[in-house]
Amino acid sequence: MSLHRNPPFRAEHLGSLLRTDELLNTKTAFEQGKIPESQLIAIEDKDIKEVVDAQKQLGYPGVSDGEYRRHMFWGSFFPGLEGFEEVNEVDADVFRNYAPDVAAFLEAGHKPGESVICTGKIKHVGSTYVDQFKYLASLVPAEEVKNVKITLAAPNWYHLRYKEGKAYPADVYSSDVEYFADIAKACQDELQVLYNAGCRNVQYDDPNLAYFCSDKMLEGWKEDPLNNQTPDELFTKYIKLYNDALSKRPADFHIGIHICRGNFVGSRHFSEGGYDRIATKLFKELNVDTYYLEYDTARAGGFQPLKELPRNKNVILGVVTSKFPELEDKEEMKQRVYEAAKFIAEGNGISVEEALKQCGVSPQCGFASHREGNAIDRQGMINKLKLLTN
């Protein structure tokens, strides 16, 4: 495999952008039954066009739609599959209470409310993302369609959070192997629909993989008597799930994966821990082109794990935080990129200059993984995005 470039680009962002008050208020009015869906779509269309124009002016070729049609970053992939059902009231006992995002809600006194559960055999019956892509593609010249980016839900998203034996009915799937096979097939179908529509650049968003770096989650795993496999064994299964899902993608389809430790309302994160525990499998065995990695604070650890990054893969270093408005020092960020490149160079026996060709920069996460957004205003977001492209 050769190094895939443009995409990714030297400066990237992670997909979600702050929504306008008008859009937020319109979504609420629609959900309350006060306005028709056509009125909501009109505002979404207008705001997406405006934010695409803003991204172009800021120098971002890999524009996104800001995830403006979504409530949360993962969108509607799973509810759109046959065999899954979206539910608003879930028995909290089905969740692993030590899964970092679940634990955060429980510690705050909130029961994890809405979720998506498997109720039958899983089958792809139509893309819920393709129309989002088509509208986004309509806003750029034909020769730039290959650059625009759409974000996708992690294939394992509705697996890790459930206790052993609770992710699917035992009379539907007898094992993870069977369950993952149908998830992988659904992902293959989704990617093919997007590809046929002209999409050439996707980014999977997967906090779950970073949770395997969390000592707190790993301790909870040990104490759970229901578990019949180790975290390392499950992580290996997730790598295979991705590789199976991506096994039929065309060579000119850029696939990236974003890994972070949570990004919720008010700039909350859910877990901590460096990439060291998962680096070898993550970088050497996962068949993606690009890793978008959180690196804004010590909670993500150091750059040493990048020694494991092969020469044919990119890393987009999330050295600028999207959670708070304080602006990073540009020269300090440049030095951090050089520090990361030194480890890549050491691991591959190449020069730092060669290693830099595999690197780019971005915010560590989106600005609004949840539609309410982080503790930063629109001008603060623009300042961060300018910093990365200047």
Side-chain angles (χ1 to χ4, degrees):
M1 291 173 62
S2 60
L3 186 68
H4 200 300
R5 266 289 169 189
N6 300 326
F9 300 92
R10 294 296 188 181
E12 294 262 357
H13 68 79
L14 278 301
S16 68
L17 298 168
L18 292 173
R19 290 131 172 98
T20 63
D21 288 341
E22 180 184 24
L23 178 54
L24 291 173
N25 293 336
T26 303
K27 284 183 180 292
T28 299
F30 169 70
E31 290 164 355
Q32 293 174 346
K34 296 179 179 178
I35 61 170
E37 186 176 20
S38 59
Q39 191 171 331
L40 170 61
I41 292 172
I43 299 299
E44 290 174 340
D45 287 353
K46 175 181 71 71
D47 278 13
I48 290 169
K49 185 178 186 307
E50 288 176 357
V51 84
V52 165
D53 289 342
Q55 290 169 74
K56 290 179 184 177
Q57 291 169 11
L58 289 165
Y60 286 88
V63 299
S64 80
D65 64 0
E67 299 177 0
Y68 281 1
R69 301 194 198 276
R70 306 183 189 184
H71 173 68
M72 296 288 286
F73 68 89
W74 57 80
S76 52
F77 175 69
F78 283 94
L81 297 177
E82 186 176 294
F84 275 100
E85 181 181 342
E86 197 166 18
V87 292
N88 291 321
E89 289 295 325
V90 189
D91 182 355
D93 192 51
V94 305
F95 296 104
R96 301 183 195 271
N97 59 13
Y98 49 88
D101 52 333
V102 175
F105 284 110
L106 294 175
E107 287 166 7
H110 300 295
K111 187 183 90 168
E114 61 187 33
S115 192
V116 178
I117 58 172
C118 175
T119 57
K121 285 289 185 181
I122 298 162
K123 183 180 180 182
H124 190 275
V125 289
S127 173
T128 60
Y129 291 137
V130 70
D131 287 343
Q132 296 175 18
F133 168 77
K134 287 179 178 178
Y135 181 72
L136 177 61
S138 75
L139 301 177
V140 302
E143 65 272 16
E144 295 178 16
V145 169
K146 66 182 186 300
N147 298 335
V148 304
K149 180 166 68 176
I150 186 167
T151 57
L152 304 179
N156 57 50
W157 186 243
Y158 286 107
H159 185 268
L160 180 66
R161 64 181 49 202
Y162 296 124
K163 290 179 180 178
E164 186 67 39
K166 300 293 186 181
Y168 47 82
D171 60 347
V172 175
Y173 292 109
S174 64
S175 66
D176 283 349
V177 173
E178 289 186 2
Y179 171 80
F180 289 153
D182 280 356
I183 294 284
K185 178 61 168 61
C187 291
Q188 291 172 10
D189 292 345
E190 180 68 33
L191 290 172
Q192 190 62 54
V193 170
L194 290 170
Y195 187 85
N196 292 345
C199 182
R200 297 294 182 270
N201 184 16
V202 300
Q203 169 194 305
Y204 282 95
D205 288 321
D206 196 340
N208 280 350
L209 296 187
Y211 294 167
F212 287 87
C213 305
S214 164
D215 288 338
K216 191 172 181 180
M217 191 195 88
L218 297 177
E219 283 301 316
W221 189 282
K222 287 180 184 177
E223 296 169 4
D224 184 347
L226 293 178
N227 287 326
N228 57 17
Q229 58 190 325
T230 68
D232 287 343
E233 287 170 340
L234 183 58
F235 189 84
T236 299
K237 284 184 177 180
Y238 285 168
I239 296 294
K240 183 180 186 302
L241 169 58
Y242 267 104
N243 289 344
D244 289 344
L246 302 176
S247 62
K248 296 184 178 180
R249 57 133 169 180
D252 62 340
F253 203 170
H254 172 257
I255 307 288
I257 184 169
H258 168 52
I259 299 171
C260 81
R261 289 147 187 80
N263 193 44
F264 198 58
V265 178
S267 299
R268 183 171 189 170
H269 71 277
F270 295 137
S271 72
E272 300 184 358
Y275 299 98
D276 309 71
R277 286 194 75 259
I278 64 173
T280 300
K281 284 187 180 296
L282 180 68
F283 296 137
K284 293 189 181 299
E285 298 182 17
L286 182 59
N287 296 331
V288 298
D289 301 299
T290 301
Y291 300 89
Y292 301 87
L293 300 182
E294 175 184 36
Y295 264 124
D296 62 326
T297 71
R299 70 173 168 269
F303 294 124
Q304 293 90 337
L306 294 177
K307 288 181 181 181
E308 303 292 330
L309 186 76
R311 291 191 67 177
N312 65 328
K313 296 185 179 183
N314 308 286
V315 61
I316 305 300
L317 301 161
V319 293
V320 170
T321 191
S322 65
K323 296 185 187 293
F324 304 106
E326 292 77 17
L327 208 58
E328 288 80 359
D329 179 84
K330 182 177 179 179
E331 292 304 314
E332 183 182 338
M333 295 304 101
K334 287 171 65 175
Q335 288 304 311
R336 294 197 70 205
V337 172
Y338 273 94
E339 181 186 349
K342 288 177 183 177
F343 286 107
I344 298 170
E346 181 181 343
N348 288 297
I350 59 176
S351 68
V352 172
E353 288 69 26
E354 283 296 307
L356 284 169
K357 294 176 182 178
Q358 299 175 239
C359 298
V361 290
S362 73
Q364 111 289 344
C365 199
F367 290 91
S369 299
H370 183 282
R371 78 183 190 196
E372 300 299 329
N374 290 350
I376 183 171
D377 63 17
R378 194 172 187 84
Q379 187 57 52
M381 177 180 75
I382 296 297
N383 292 342
K384 295 279 182 171
L385 294 174
K386 280 183 179 177
L387 175 66
L388 288 160
T389 55
N390 287 345

